């Protein structure tokens, strides 16, 4: 027996809308009929000229092209007559939602992954349509509060982590950036217990990364990519666990002024071991077996994260 709810057609609903450079992204509750979703007259934003509407690969997101959109303004979008992709082609009557406007991050962007706001580091948070950065999945972990971390003056950042994460995202203007991923092994005391890969903007930058093998226990081990080109207004960092869980303690993003369109392939893969950063609890450095890398523009650095 069908209930009244089962008998009623379910039409698409607008979940949220967010502005970006020259665009507004609109998210719907279900997959859409392409013809109605891409009809630009089915969307109205007051005082704004919508150039076109394109249904994205997920079938539930529409990107409205709006050249010259004023990101300091306030807008709402009205969507109507848009149909789902079911055989019935259920159509929505209309819904008006406030558009979330971006709140640009200040450079250098510093994030205390797995921890709270600390000094000039932003606190960790979950990724969503209304935030500028955040994690997808994973759990928090912490070292003992007074546990020293070798080779850094920022022990507090390395004492908190997010492990088991799949992806971290940061909204940035399109351009070139130096990205430092801050990591330290604060759980295992031998190599081969935690091994993972890291991909940055679709490029594998570390394969078989074993933090203990590289730096030992409770020691900073930074993965640095000197020139990362962001072209879709979002920096994507992916993690894949080979043994146990991938982890991340912090992120530092610096703007790079360059006319180079692609990363240089002239630099060889290398690890850069710097002299110990002053730390009264650990004054020694040991060189350990090299981690395998695929990127031709990647350094593993045991350096202060401010470098």
């Amino acid at each position: 027996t069908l209930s009244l709810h089962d008998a009623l057609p379910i039409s698409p609903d607008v979940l949220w809308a967010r502005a970006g450079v020259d665009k507004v992204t609109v998210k719907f509750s279900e997959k859409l009929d392409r013809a109605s979703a891409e009809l630009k007259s089915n969307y109205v934003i007051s005082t704004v000229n919508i150039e076109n509407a394109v249904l994205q690969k997920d079938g539930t997101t529409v990107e409205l092209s709006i050249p010259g959109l004023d990101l300091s303004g306030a807008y709402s979008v009205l969507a109507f007559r848009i149909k789902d992709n079911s055989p019935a082609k259920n159509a929505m009557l209309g819904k008006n939602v406030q558009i979330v406007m971006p709140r640009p991050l200040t450079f250098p962007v510093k994030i205390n992954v797995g921890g709270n706001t600390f000094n000039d580091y932003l606190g960790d948070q979950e990724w969503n349509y209304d935030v500028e950065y955040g994690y997808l999945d994973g759990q928090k972990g912490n070292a003992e509060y007074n546990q020293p971390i070798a080779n850094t003056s920022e022990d507090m950042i390395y004492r908190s982590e997010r492990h088991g994460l799949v992806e971290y995202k940061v909204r940035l203007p399109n351009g070139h950036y130096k990205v430092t991923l801050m990591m330290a092994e604060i759980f295992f005391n031998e190599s081969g217990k935690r091994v993972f890969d890291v991909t940055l903007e679709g490029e594998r930058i570390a394969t078989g990364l074993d933090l203990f093998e590289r730096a030992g226990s409770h020691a900073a081990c930074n993965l640095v990519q000197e020139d990362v080109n962001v072209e879709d207004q979002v920096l994507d960092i992916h993690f894949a666990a080979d043994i146990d869980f991938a982890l991340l303690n912090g992120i530092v993003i610096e703007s790079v002024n360059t006319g180079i369109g692609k990363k240089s392939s002239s630099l060889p893969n290398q690890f850069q071991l710097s002299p110990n950063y002053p730390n009264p609890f650990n004054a020694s450095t040991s060189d350990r077996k090299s981690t395998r890398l695929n990127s031709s523009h990647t350094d593993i650095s045991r350096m202060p994260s401010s470098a």
Side-chain angles (χ1 to χ4, degrees), residues 76-112:
S76 62
V77 56
L78 171 64
F80 59 100
R81 295 197 300 258
I82 297 170
K83 303 173 183 178
D84 63 22
N85 71 341
S86 71
K89 301 294 183 186
N90 300 305
M92 63 185 301
L93 296 177
K95 184 172 182 179
N96 191 69
V97 297
Q98 191 73 23
I99 298 174
V100 174
M101 306 304 292
R103 301 176 296 279
L105 298 169
T106 301
F107 290 97
V109 178
K110 297 183 176 183
I111 304 170
N112 184 16

Side-chain angles (χ1 to χ4, degrees), residues 91 127 259:
W127 176 258

